[in-house]
Amino acid sequence: MSARSKARKRALDMLYAADVRQTPVSEVLEAEAKRAASEPQREASWLYAREIVDGVGDHATEIDELISSNAQGWTLARMPAVDRALLRIGVWELVYNDEIPAAVAIDEAVEAAKELSTDDSGGFVHGVLAAVARSRTA
């Protein structure tokens, strides 16, 4: 697994934890930063995970609006928490991180959804992120 894939998983864990616990992302990020300080071998994945979580936090309103407007028939509250977190990561990478190709951002989120969420989540996550990507290139 690449360092960026590991970072996405760490970011997913943090965003999911904050969402489920209804805790500010900054608190979860601070706790994870303390843990990461004692794990220098995981520094590469930690740096990108922090960038993702900071980015999602900095652009939360815009990201959630993009998800909501492209998730036909679904509200954010109705989505599984894992899907919400994966979509937030995917949208952040699509919109705010020019280093990640759209196909990579979408594929990583879809594969994680297939592995970690419901049977229908892979298709759902793909549909929402593909719509966001199309709207960005239009």
Side-chain angles (χ1 to χ4, degrees), residues 26-41:
S26 59
E27 285 182 26
V28 175
L29 190 59
E30 184 179 324
E32 184 65 17
K34 288 178 185 174
R35 184 172 151 225
S38 67
E39 301 173 335
Q41 70 279 12

Side-chain angles (χ1 to χ4, degrees), residues 14-25:
M14 287 185 275
L15 292 171
Y16 176 83
D19 191 7
V20 170
R21 295 179 191 155
Q22 297 183 339
T23 304
V25 173

